[in-house]
Amino acid sequence: MEGLVAQVVALSNPNDINQLLTTLKSSEAVFTQNYQHIAAALQTLDPVQHSLGFGYYLGKGNLQAPDVAFIDNAARFFTLCDPAQIQAAPDVFCAVAKKLKEHVLAAGSPRRGILPLRCGLRALQPAPEVLTPLHADFFQLCLLSRCYNAAAEVLGQDIYDVSPAATTCTPTDLFLYCYYGGMLAIGE
């Protein structure tokens, strides 16, 4: 595990992101065999400088929801991550976002996920008018916590593009965006 952490640290510059992505994808066995060391590895990595690696480590942990340490690490990751790095692996980023949503819902505090997911969807968007899978999850947390105004800025943004290649957005994400967005508009 230490070797992989060292590679993440060494390859987390803009010129080596594709090599880092290849290394992380081929290291599935390392994550499986050393899952108990993931928390220690997260303490070593910086979510700003090592966003891609940090996201992979968050996504590989097998934790029972709700896990407060995961919620704290994921919230810190989403608010500080480097958009250029996380856009290299949007599928991993979205999986961590879904996991965060599950953990805050299991903890009974959906409000804790609002700010991190809002920051995360802004980081994942290649442009402000692009829909991401995080929009629907963010809207759902706003609804469940009855914080309708927290979604006002995102809800007011015009969406013209879906861009599945850049954000891994699916038709279900679009439908949930419309559904939860409509409910938020009624709630305001």
Side-chain angles (χ1 to χ4, degrees):
M1 186 65 81
E2 294 84 19
L4 187 57
V5 170
Q7 284 185 314
V8 168
V9 171
L11 297 174
S12 288
N13 62 60
N15 299 331
D16 296 328
I17 291 297
N18 289 333
Q19 185 179 354
L20 175 60
L21 184 59
T22 304
T23 302
L24 289 168
K25 283 182 179 179
S26 65
S27 300
E28 192 68 36
V30 174
F31 288 115
T32 304
Q33 295 169 352
N34 299 302
Y35 68 90
Q36 67 275 15
H37 300 292
I38 289 177
L42 286 173
Q43 297 304 317
T44 307
L45 298 174
D46 177 25
V48 178
Q49 295 176 344
H50 314 118
S51 296
L52 184 57
F54 202 92
Y56 259 89
Y57 277 90
L58 278 175
K60 298 302 178 183
N62 250 352
L63 306 169
Q64 294 292 342
D67 186 274
V68 176
F70 173 81
I71 293 172
D72 292 341
N73 280 326
R76 188 168 61 105
F77 169 64
F78 282 112
T79 54
L80 300 173
C81 67
D82 177 18
Q85 287 191 30
I86 59 101
Q87 288 175 2
D91 54 333
V92 173
F93 191 72
C94 292
V96 173
K98 297 247 184 253
K99 203 174 194 183
L100 173 63
K101 182 184 84 167
E102 291 170 7
H103 280 262
V104 296
L105 290 177
S109 57
R111 189 175 290 198
R112 286 190 70 187
I114 291 175
L115 178 64
L117 284 187
R118 182 171 58 201
C119 294
L121 73 87
R122 293 292 186 216
L124 185 59
Q125 284 180 307
E129 66 274 354
V130 178
L131 180 69
T132 70
L134 275 63
H135 277 81
D137 293 335
F138 169 69
F139 284 173
Q140 183 183 17
L141 291 181
C142 290
L143 281 167
L144 292 173
S145 63
R146 295 186 175 97
C147 293
Y148 307 120
N149 287 333
E153 179 188 340
V154 177
L155 192 57
Q157 176 67 46
D158 291 332
I159 298 293
Y160 298 113
D161 193 6
V162 177
S163 190
T167 63
T168 69
C169 205
T170 64
T172 303
D173 297 320
L174 175 63
F175 295 141
L176 288 174
Y177 165 79
C178 294
Y179 176 70
Y180 293 137
M183 291 176 74
L184 283 167
I186 292 169
E188 285 184 313

